Amino acid sequence: MKWLNSLAVFTAFQVSMASILEERASVNDVATIGYATLNGGTTGGSGGPTTTVTTLDALTSAVSGNAKKIVIISGTITGNTVVKIGSNTSVLGAKGSALNGVGLRVLNENNVIIRNVKISKVLAEAGDALGIQASHQVWVDHCDLSSDRDHDKDFYDGLLDLTHGITGVTVSNTKLYNHWKACLIGHSDNNGAEDTPITVTLALNSWTNLNSRTPSIRFGHGHIFNNVFDDNNDGINTRDGAQVLVENNVWTGTDKPLYSTDGGFAVATGNDFGGASDTAPQGDFTKAPYSYTLLSTSSVRASVTANAGQTLDF
């Protein structure tokens, strides 16, 4: 009887872990977290026709235009380019799919969802691995973004760049790793007129072995909660008047987890800085303008480790 009870417990544990590590999702899912839920929400191509693509040409064609649509990437697509995504689009990665050397760009668009997409080793000559510019209401969820640090810092460009006045953007449950320049929010020091309206949420993400920009945020408002930062050479850099709310995140392996250059600000609560210190000046962004569930700091690592990255199955 004891053996049977033990077997039942072990089986239940396996089923529970499987449900965590591989989550069933719908192609019609809409944004449920962060700034992407505001201003009417972010629905992408929900309710539109679904197309599955297996080649670069098919992907490029399928994601273009502003008609409502769902595009599923299947298998591995290789190239040396960046594909532009139109408005009212959901781009979803099937289980095991990958873009090698092929980045995605959302430029001057609205209402886009990018989920479960794995992107690696996009060369600088092509552009950022994932770039969102001058766009609004974008949800990036359960993505896997990486390159390597075997080359100099300019061999690849940004891993995840959110620039030119983006608003209503959420990045959640995503892995960023093995890269020089991870995440730039806000274009440049002299672009305040365009970038001050920036609103972005970074939640439940994993950041590992990154040299800089984890993230670097200029001018706008950023809500950063329940992330795990491991073995990076940098931390959150709040700059040029940015206001950042930093809650219940976990760090290891950096001596500057949260700091400021050029007059940025932060409000930090409940964080585990791994023995280092927050040196950013106190800001005034104390409450996000949406409801959200905040994991306890002690629970963050286990949750992010189990769930971040390409773990969905449609």
Side-chain angles (χ1 to χ4, degrees):
M1 181 64 71
K2 289 182 179 179
W3 180 84
L4 289 174
N5 287 340
S6 297
L7 179 60
V9 170
F10 178 70
T11 302
F13 173 78
Q14 285 185 308
V15 171
S16 175
M17 286 302 294
S19 66
I20 292 173
L21 295 174
E22 186 177 294
E23 177 185 347
R24 189 70 183 172
S26 169
V27 298
N28 291 301
D29 285 345
V30 302
T32 57
I33 186 171
Y35 277 109
T37 64
L38 301 183
N39 305 312
T42 303
T43 58
S46 181
T50 299
T51 302
T52 298
V53 298
T54 59
T55 68
L56 180 57
D57 286 346
L59 172 64
T60 303
S61 175
V63 301
S64 66
N66 295 331
K68 186 185 297 185
K69 56 195 172 297
I70 299 165
V71 179
I72 299 176
I73 299 167
S74 179
T76 298
I77 296 175
T78 300
N80 181 25
T81 190
V82 168
V83 174
K84 293 182 179 179
I85 301 170
S87 297
N88 307 310
T89 304
S90 294
V91 181
L92 314 175
K95 180 181 177 182
S97 64
L99 299 179
N100 291 341
V102 177
L104 298 177
R105 179 171 297 162
V106 183
L107 174 63
N108 294 312
E109 304 292 352
N110 295 278
N111 192 33
V112 173
I113 292 174
I114 302 170
R115 297 188 84 194
N116 214 51
V117 176
K118 184 174 184 179
I119 304 174
S120 65
K121 298 186 177 181
V122 180
L123 299 182
E125 63 191 50
D128 299 323
L130 180 52
I132 301 170
Q133 303 173 357
S135 297
H136 312 284
Q137 301 311 123
V138 181
W139 184 32
V140 177
D141 183 59
H142 280 282
C143 289
D144 182 307
L145 308 175
S146 71
S147 63
D148 60 58
R149 293 178 62 180
D150 300 334
H151 305 83
D152 68 47
K153 66 182 180 64
D154 295 320
F155 189 77
Y156 304 107
D157 203 349
L159 199 56
L160 172 65
D161 281 11
L162 314 172
T163 58
H164 293 284
I166 54 99
T167 63
V169 173
T170 296
V171 180
S172 54
N173 301 297
T174 289
K175 291 174 65 174
L176 304 92
Y177 57 101
N178 298 347
H179 195 81
W180 282 93
K181 297 174 285 189
C183 180
L184 179 67
I185 304 171
H187 174 61
S188 66
D189 292 340
N190 60 5
N191 203 49
E194 183 181 38
D195 283 340
T196 295
I198 282 176
T199 51
V200 61
T201 302
L202 303 175
L204 301 159
N205 304 300
S206 172
W207 310 67
T208 307
N209 191 32
L210 303 164
N211 183 68
S212 63
R213 302 178 183 174
T214 57
S216 170
I217 177 169
R218 295 182 175 99
F219 298 112
H221 282 70
H223 186 199
I224 303 174
F225 69 93
N226 289 159
N227 293 265
V228 175
F229 301 89
D230 286 329
D231 299 320
N232 303 309
N233 298 99
D234 202 4
I236 298 171
N237 183 5
T238 174
R239 310 171 63 178
D240 294 317
Q243 295 282 348
V244 186
L245 177 59
V246 183
E247 299 182 286
N248 293 27
N249 301 281
V250 178
W251 279 264
T252 64
T254 182
D255 59 1
K256 50 179 184 179
L258 175 57
Y259 68 104
S260 173
T261 57
D262 307 313
F265 303 92
V267 172
T269 62
N271 298 285
D272 179 353
F273 292 119
S277 299
D278 161 24
T279 61
Q282 184 75 9
D284 59 17
F285 183 24
T286 60
K287 183 176 175 59
Y290 45 79
S291 60
Y292 59 102
T293 299
L294 190 64
L295 296 178
S296 66
T297 310
S298 61
S299 302
V300 170
R301 180 173 296 279
S303 179
V304 170
T305 299
N307 292 292
Q310 192 188 57
T311 61
L312 301 180
D313 191 11
F314 297 98

